[in-house]
């Protein structure tokens, strides 16, 4: 008897007979999973380990910036080096948050006054203005630069904004729309996102910030009470939707409603896998091309893990990584000749991405990250991908004889673990490589069967696996 097992949802919070047991180093597609590309080194080394990376663009002017505890850096397009561009004296710590207001890149680290870099003219960061605040978070809401958690930890419930269309004016008064608001309900501010409205995330609430005009300028409405954001570094935004981690799992908010996206899917898995003593080292970003939200965090084994969420399909996967964080960059653009003459790539095999990758096309926003003191891009080949089926009950007792993985443009290796009861130990067989006909010969008896499929080659999509089984009699 032949049976097709589709690679449907990975739901680690569910029982083993109901869903995929693993979806490793892949990302969800509408039917099955595609390879999550390995990281490749993109930049030269910084003088310290990085804690953020940010891409900016206005007109044809692009810039890639990164931050560490004591420095700000700008990527040198001529050699991909990370040039220190800090203000005189540098900085004394903190994780950097970036935003762009017109041609000005603004950075906050909860230690120094907001820092500013004007694309096309600046040679070093400088204080945005003498009256600009020290802030932990910064974004743009309509025509205002908005900062939150002010004063280096002394005013953790304060939101402050600049004058309209003037990022340098932070003085309240009759001739300015700059002002501030204390959010009295919800604990400390843990993050902020912008756009047509602002969303202020607190430990136990979410507040919407809407422009109302003179004399109050902004209206603040609590849209969630009791549910807030646990860790500000978990916040990622795409369009009008913000994604974040709360006390009990992952959520999204569109400014009107708050919706759980990890409930009974990955929330328990995350809290079992994450090192909860080091949550502030996590980071979040968006891959707009593949419609993914990506969270990087330290796991209980001391390594780094990535959770991947496809917001259009509402499906998850996971990635094993050595990258210490994720972010976005803006590509500079190079011709084939420039890759050799400017960047020094004389061997196509050493390129961090294929020649047709958008990494080499100028002015494109790209999902990226950092590993220690380097910027990395996730543009390498597929690596160590694995999909593990649910525990399959194909008759009271049965023997699996053959497996045929359905892998577009690739092959696979197959392992099987069979057992009599669900509380028996799981022990996989040795790997079997599929033949030229895509078949893996197996012989494994039991009541429940679990197959591990590891795609190989230049594969593009894994859909499922066909298995041949026969009944086994009882004695």
């Amino acid at each position: 008897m032949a049976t097709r097992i589709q690679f449907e949802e990975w739901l680690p919070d569910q029982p083993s007979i109901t869903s995929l047991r693993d979806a490793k180093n892949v990302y969800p597609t509408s039917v099955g999973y595609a390879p999550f590309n390995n990281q490749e080194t993109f930049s030269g080394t910084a003088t310290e380990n990085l804690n953020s990376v940010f891409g900016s663009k206005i007109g044809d002017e692009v810039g890639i910036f990164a931050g560490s505890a004591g420095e700000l850096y700008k990527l040198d397009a001529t050699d991909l080096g990370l040039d220190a561009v800090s203000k005189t004296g540098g900085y004394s710590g903190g994780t950097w948050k970036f935003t762009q207001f017109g041609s000005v890149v603004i950075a906050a680290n909860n230690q120094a006054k907001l820092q500013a870099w004007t694309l096309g003219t600046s040679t070093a960061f400088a204080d945005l203005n003498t009256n600009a605040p020290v802030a932990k978070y910064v974004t743009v809401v309509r025509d205002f630069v908005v900062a939150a958690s002010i004063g280096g930890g002394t005013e953790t419930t304060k939101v402050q904004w600049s004058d309209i269309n003037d990022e340098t004016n932070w003085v309240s008064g009759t001739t300015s729309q700059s002002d501030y608001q204390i959010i009295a309900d919800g604990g400390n501010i843990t993050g902020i996102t912008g756009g047509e409205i602002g969303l202020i995330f607190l430990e136990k609430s979410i507040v919407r910030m809407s422009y109302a005009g003179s004399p109050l300028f902004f209206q603040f409405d609590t849209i969630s009470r009791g549910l807030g954001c646990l860790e500000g570094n978990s916040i990622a935004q795409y369009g009008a939707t913000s994604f974040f981690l709360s006390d009990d799992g992952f959520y999204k908010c569109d400014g009107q409603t708050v919706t759980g996206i990890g409930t009974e899917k990955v929330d328990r898995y995350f809290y079992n896998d994450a090192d909860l003593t080091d949550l502030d080292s996590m980071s979040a970003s968006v891959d707009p091309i593949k419609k993914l939200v990506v969270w990087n965090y330290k796991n209980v084994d001391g390594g780094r893990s990535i959770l991947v969420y496809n917001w259009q399909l509402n499906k998850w996967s996971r990635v094993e990584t050595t990258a210490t964080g994720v972010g976005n960059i803006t590509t500079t653009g190079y011709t084939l000749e420039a890759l050799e003459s400017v960047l020094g790539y004389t061997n196509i095999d050493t390129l961090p991405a294929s020649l047709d990758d958008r990494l080499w096309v100028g002015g494109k926003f790209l999902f990226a990250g950092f590993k220690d003191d380097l910027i990395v891009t996730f543009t390498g080949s597929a690596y160590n991908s694995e999909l593990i089926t649910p525990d399959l009950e194909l008759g009271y007792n049965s023997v699996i004889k053959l497996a045929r993985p359905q892998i577009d443009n690739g092959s696979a290796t197959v392992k099987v673990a069979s057992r009599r009861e669900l509380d028996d130990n799981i022990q996989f067989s040795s790997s079997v490589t599929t033949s030229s006909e895509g078949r893996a010969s197996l012989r494994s008896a039991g009541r429940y069967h679990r197959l591990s499929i590891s795609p190989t080659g230049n594969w593009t999509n894994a859909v499922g696996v066909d298995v041949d089984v026969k009944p086994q009699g009882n004695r």
Side-chain angles (χ1 to χ4, degrees):
M1 179 180 67
T3 301
R4 172 159 294 182
I5 310 301
Q6 296 288 135
F7 294 148
E8 297 181 343
E9 277 200 79
W10 175 58
L11 301 172
D13 288 358
Q14 293 298 304
S16 65
I17 60 173
T18 61
S19 63
L20 284 182
R21 292 297 85 206
D22 205 357
K24 184 180 74 174
N25 297 337
V26 296
Y27 70 90
T29 60
S30 58
V31 180
Y33 292 82
F36 192 98
N37 299 103
N38 201 1
Q39 68 201 36
E40 295 284 346
T41 297
F42 180 64
S43 75
T45 58
T47 57
E48 299 176 335
N49 286 344
L50 303 178
N51 59 40
S52 59
V53 63
F54 177 77
S56 60
K57 179 179 184 291
I58 187 165
D60 294 330
E61 189 72 34
V62 299
I64 298 175
F65 299 90
S68 66
E71 294 281 1
L72 284 168
Y73 308 88
K74 185 177 186 293
L75 187 81
D76 187 334
T78 62
D79 62 6
L80 299 184
L82 284 175
D83 298 335
V85 289
S86 305
K87 74 171 184 177
T88 302
Y91 310 99
S92 58
T95 299
W96 290 96
K97 302 294 184 184
F98 293 90
T99 194
Q100 183 176 341
F101 187 73
S103 62
V104 181
V105 174
I106 301 171
N109 75 337
N110 205 34
Q111 299 291 332
K113 288 183 180 295
L114 293 178
Q115 296 294 288
W117 175 287
T118 301
L119 292 170
T121 62
S122 289
T123 57
F125 275 91
D127 291 352
L128 181 59
N129 196 287
T130 56
N131 56 43
V134 174
K136 190 173 185 179
Y137 307 106
V138 65
T139 191
V140 173
V141 179
R142 290 187 55 140
D143 302 314
F144 302 82
V145 177
V146 180
S149 191
I150 306 300
T154 62
E155 297 177 285
T156 57
T157 61
K158 182 177 180 179
V159 178
Q160 187 174 350
W161 57 91
S162 71
D163 194 9
I164 188 169
N165 280 319
D166 185 358
E167 75 280 3
T168 65
N169 185 358
W170 295 79
V171 179
S172 304
T174 57
T175 61
S176 169
Q177 292 195 36
S178 175
D179 210 341
Y180 68 89
Q181 176 74 33
I182 305 298
I183 310 294
D185 181 22
N188 293 331
I189 294 173
T190 55
I192 184 170
T193 57
E196 180 66 19
I197 62 170
L199 286 179
I200 304 159
F201 295 88
L202 299 99
E203 294 169 303
K204 290 296 181 182
S205 68
I206 302 173
V207 175
R208 183 177 59 233
M209 177 183 183
S210 308
Y211 184 66
S214 182
L216 299 177
F217 308 126
F218 280 98
Q219 175 177 319
F220 293 83
D221 300 293
T222 299
I223 60 174
S224 171
R225 179 171 280 110
L227 187 153
C229 175
L230 176 64
E231 172 52 56
N233 291 329
S234 72
I235 298 173
Q237 182 180 13
Y238 186 73
T241 304
S242 297
F243 305 87
F244 64 98
L245 176 69
S246 188
D247 290 320
D248 61 345
F250 292 95
Y251 288 81
K252 65 179 180 180
C253 179
D254 60 4
Q256 302 293 328
T257 59
V258 181
T259 305
I261 58 174
T263 306
E264 291 302 309
K265 295 187 177 210
V266 301
D267 287 343
R268 290 194 296 276
Y269 168 86
F270 170 79
Y271 277 109
N272 287 330
D273 188 53
D275 181 352
L276 301 182
T277 67
D278 198 22
L279 273 184
D280 60 353
S281 75
M282 75 184 303
S283 56
S285 187
V286 167
D287 185 336
I289 302 163
K290 297 172 181 175
K291 308 298 187 293
L292 306 176
V293 189
V294 178
W295 286 273
N296 178 298
Y297 61 93
K298 184 179 178 181
N299 59 45
V300 292
D301 295 323
R304 307 294 301 186
S305 296
I306 284 177
L307 271 181
V308 180
Y309 174 67
N310 185 312
W311 69 75
Q312 287 192 330
L313 303 176
N314 196 29
K315 292 169 64 176
W316 294 81
S317 63
R318 73 178 187 95
V319 173
E320 294 178 342
T321 187
T322 59
T324 45
V326 292
N328 289 92
I329 62 173
T330 314
T331 57
T332 302
Y334 296 94
T335 63
L336 179 60
E337 293 75 15
L339 289 176
E340 180 176 354
S341 62
V342 176
L343 300 183
Y345 288 111
T346 58
N347 186 338
I348 192 172
D349 293 331
T350 64
L351 288 173
S354 63
L355 288 173
D356 59 354
D357 195 276
R358 67 177 60 210
L359 178 64
W360 309 120
V361 180
K364 304 299 181 184
F365 288 94
L366 188 73
F367 168 64
F370 49 93
K371 181 183 184 298
D372 299 329
D373 55 2
L374 299 162
I375 295 176
V376 299
T377 55
F378 295 91
T379 52
S381 59
Y383 74 109
N384 297 333
S385 301
E386 184 179 25
L387 294 152
I388 299 180
T389 67
D391 284 311
L392 309 171
E393 188 178 13
L394 305 171
Y396 188 76
N397 281 314
S398 60
V399 179
I400 285 187
K401 302 187 298 178
L402 192 73
R404 291 183 295 273
Q406 303 299 311
I407 312 291
D408 283 345
N409 201 44
S411 301
T413 61
V414 182
K415 296 184 292 185
V416 61
S418 299
R419 50 187 175 155
R420 182 70 180 82
E421 303 295 341
L422 288 174
D423 59 354
D424 291 344
N425 290 333
I426 299 169
Q427 185 172 351
F428 279 100
S429 66
S430 300
S431 295
V432 178
T433 301
T434 54
S435 67
S436 59
E437 298 176 338
R439 299 153 61 96
S441 295
L442 306 167
R443 185 169 183 83
S444 185
R447 181 178 178 182
Y448 300 99
H449 308 280
R450 183 181 295 196
L451 289 110
S452 164
I453 311 298
S454 296
T456 58
N458 296 317
W459 68 285
T460 56
N461 204 72
V463 176
V465 57
D466 294 342
V467 295
D468 284 359
V469 298
K470 69 175 184 178
Q472 185 184 44
N474 294 317
R475 291 185 178 179

